[in-house]
Amino acid sequence: MYEPIRTKSVHSTVDGPNPDFPHRSREEELDIQLAGHLAALLAVTDELRAAQPSADLDTAAERLAEQVGRLRGGRTPVRAPMSGRREKNPAAMHRRAHALAGRALVVAASRADTAAAILAAERMDAHTAALEPRELASR
């Protein structure tokens, strides 16, 4: 009824995994994801520092850079100059930073990275606190 397969399958090999194809473990994939989320949060933090300089944001940026470097095997993250593009709405930047910190927290929790999870939770709290007075004033 069916014609037999006469060629090798392109989806699986008899020899096992292809050594030319890079394979990463789940932990490595989570490290890459977490480093990406923290690097994006660092970029928004740098934008906020340019718009609203504060010691809290300076400290947060340094801690974020340290965590990104740790996750990337000691390579320090590339940072935008402070005089770069500035978003006009600080509340929007705080909301974006809060969302990025939330994503980082989820990945850090699944990876069981306590240091990154604590940092992400602290940043979420800080951005929530930065938004509260503005949201109350706009009502």
Side-chain angles (χ1 to χ4, degrees):
M1 182 168 187
Y2 294 105
E3 185 175 334
I5 298 173
R6 295 181 183 159
T7 61
K8 287 186 175 182
S9 172
V10 296
H11 300 288
S12 63
T13 62
V14 178
D15 302 334
N18 184 350
D20 295 333
F21 185 74
H23 295 280
R24 291 189 282 256
S25 68
R26 180 176 187 277
E27 290 77 22
E28 290 171 323
E29 289 292 340
L30 290 174
D31 283 350
I32 292 167
Q33 268 190 2
L34 182 56
H37 290 314
L38 291 176
L41 180 56
L42 175 60
V44 175
T45 302
D46 283 341
E47 285 181 35
L48 279 166
R49 286 175 56 217
Q52 304 171 330
S54 78
D56 177 51
L57 289 173
D58 292 342
T59 303
E62 291 308 314
R63 290 177 63 201
L64 286 166
E66 177 184 307
Q67 288 297 317
V68 172
R70 177 182 62 86
L71 291 165
R72 289 184 175 165
R75 290 179 293 151
T76 57
V78 176
R79 301 192 49 194
M82 293 291 285
S83 63
R85 168 176 95 58
R86 292 185 185 176
E87 191 166 326
K88 300 197 185 323
N89 187 352
M93 286 191 288
H94 281 292
R95 282 191 292 275
R96 188 169 38 152
H98 184 273
L100 289 166
R103 291 183 192 123
L105 178 59
V106 169
V107 176
S110 68
R111 188 183 170 279
D113 187 333
T114 307
I118 290 171
L119 178 58
E122 288 173 357
R123 296 317 309 151
M124 286 181 73
D125 290 343
H127 294 295
T128 299
L131 286 170
E132 286 175 357
R134 290 188 183 111
E135 289 179 358
L136 292 175
S138 66
R139 290 183 187 175

